């Protein structure tokens, strides 16, 4: 099988916070959660082609459904990276990994890897993506680009828990957009950990006492959050780097 080489996992840039690890731990012990960050636009044409070759038939069909080439490439790279990382943690070739999907589209391992006890989730916003892998239990991760949102109050009232919406409306700070998207990322991460959608129950994700939510540093332009059913004493951050494909 193909394995991740040192050239794939470059040293994180200097602006990364302390605690970033340049190389993965293949074992991924139960107390650990690995959070990967990736720039989907860094991939070369050769790497996009390499990722496309390991996608399943349904993933290729989904890729063909994108109207814009940029979005099609980002989808291919996002799924290719997911398969590469899962293959690394499972010691399987990326093309051998099979998925099944929950009622709201959350992917899970199927086939020969279904009993491996590895849980994962992913999210992407524009050209950035985040991935979470763990053996501690169900996990949800979300990433949102911080931007102006004129109708944020209406969206918050509809999609966020009542207490969270009230807190945001009462704040009225100059960082209102940032606060809104950080709250949005936390709620999305909660719901993804539970495998439910925003339309199911906006309050449920906030009230589930079994969920542990962590804010993630994704830079000044993004808000990110991680939600787990069980506490994670050790969250390790990883950085995916593009590589040349022969």
């Amino acid at each position: 099988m193909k394995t991740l080489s040192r050239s794939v996992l470059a040293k994180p840039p200097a602006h990364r916070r302390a605690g970033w690890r340049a190389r993965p731990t293949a074992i991924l012990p139960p107390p650990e959660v690995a959070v990967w960050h990736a720039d989907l636009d860094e991939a070369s044409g050769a790497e996009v082609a390499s990722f496309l070759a390991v996608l399943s038939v349904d993933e290729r069909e989904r890729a063909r459904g994108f109207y814009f080439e940029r979005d099609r490439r980002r989808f291919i790279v996002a799924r290719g990276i997911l398969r590469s990382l899962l293959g690394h943690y499972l010691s399987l070739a990326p093309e051998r990994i099979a998925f099944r999907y929950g009622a709201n589209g959350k992917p899970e391992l199927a086939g020969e890897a279904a009993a491996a006890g590895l849980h994962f989730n992913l999210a992407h916003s524009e050209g950035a993506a985040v991935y979470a892998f763990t053996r501690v239990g169900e996990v949800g991760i979300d990433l949102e680009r911080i931007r102006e949102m004129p109708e944020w109050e209406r969206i918050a009232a509809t999609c966020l828990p009542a207490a969270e919406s009230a807190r945001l409306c009462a704040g009225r700070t100059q960082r209102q957009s940032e606060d809104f998207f950080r709250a949005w990322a936390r709620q999305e991460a909660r719901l993804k950990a539970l495998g439910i959608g925003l339309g199911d129950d906006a309050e449920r994700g906030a009230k589930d006492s079994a969920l542990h939510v962590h804010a993630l540093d994704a830079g000044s332009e993004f808000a990110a959050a991680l939600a787990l059913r069980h506490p994670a004493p050790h969250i390790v951050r990883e950085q995916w780097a593009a590589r040349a494909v022969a």
Side-chain angles (χ1 to χ4, degrees):
M1 59 161 285
K2 295 179 181 179
T3 59
L4 297 184
S5 66
R6 293 189 182 185
S7 62
V8 178
L9 303 166
K11 184 177 180 180
H15 68 271
R16 295 296 185 190
R17 301 293 187 269
W20 285 81
R21 188 170 64 192
R23 298 181 60 200
T25 297
I27 298 174
L28 195 65
E32 184 170 295
V33 179
V35 174
W36 285 81
H37 295 243
D39 184 339
L40 303 179
D41 294 331
E42 283 186 341
S44 65
E47 192 168 19
V48 173
S50 177
F51 284 144
L52 181 61
V54 303
L55 299 190
S56 64
V57 173
D58 66 294
E59 286 172 323
R60 294 181 193 181
E61 186 64 29
R62 287 177 63 185
R64 284 193 290 269
F66 287 95
Y67 183 80
F68 294 106
E69 175 65 15
R70 177 194 61 189
D71 296 330
R72 187 183 76 87
R73 285 173 59 97
R74 286 174 175 173
F75 174 81
I76 292 170
V77 174
R79 298 297 288 210
I81 292 174
L82 173 63
R83 284 180 170 275
S84 295
L85 292 173
L86 284 171
H88 173 73
Y89 289 122
L90 296 167
S91 296
L92 281 175
E95 62 270 20
R96 290 177 56 187
I97 295 168
F99 301 111
R100 60 171 175 259
Y101 298 88
N104 290 286
K106 183 179 180 180
E108 299 175 351
L109 291 171
E112 60 186 309
L118 181 65
H119 301 272
F120 70 94
N121 200 228
L122 70 153
H124 58 86
S125 181
E126 298 183 7
V130 288
Y131 305 80
F133 303 89
T134 185
R135 299 186 190 276
V136 302
E138 292 294 340
V139 60
I141 195 167
D142 191 55
L143 179 72
E144 303 290 340
R145 185 175 185 87
I146 298 170
R147 58 195 184 277
E148 290 300 318
M149 182 67 71
E151 298 182 342
W152 70 265
E153 290 180 90
R154 177 183 61 79
I155 298 171
T158 303
C159 301
L160 296 181
E164 189 81 271
S165 177
R167 183 188 66 80
L168 287 172
C169 291
R172 297 296 179 184
T173 69
Q174 293 184 340
R175 301 171 58 186
Q176 201 71 63
S177 293
E178 180 180 340
D179 291 343
F180 168 74
F181 281 107
R182 295 197 185 286
W184 180 275
R186 290 194 298 270
Q187 178 67 352
E188 282 278 14
R190 293 186 189 104
L191 297 178
K192 291 173 75 175
L194 294 169
I196 63 178
L198 281 171
D200 293 334
D201 187 352
E203 298 293 332
R204 181 179 170 191
K207 292 179 178 178
D208 194 317
S209 60
L211 290 178
H212 301 263
V213 182
H214 305 265
L216 299 174
D217 179 7
S220 61
E221 297 182 0
F222 292 92
L226 175 76
L228 301 143
R229 282 191 177 274
H230 303 285
H234 192 198
I235 299 174
V236 177
R237 293 165 295 175
E238 312 269 21
Q239 180 71 30
W240 176 274
R243 64 183 173 88
V245 177

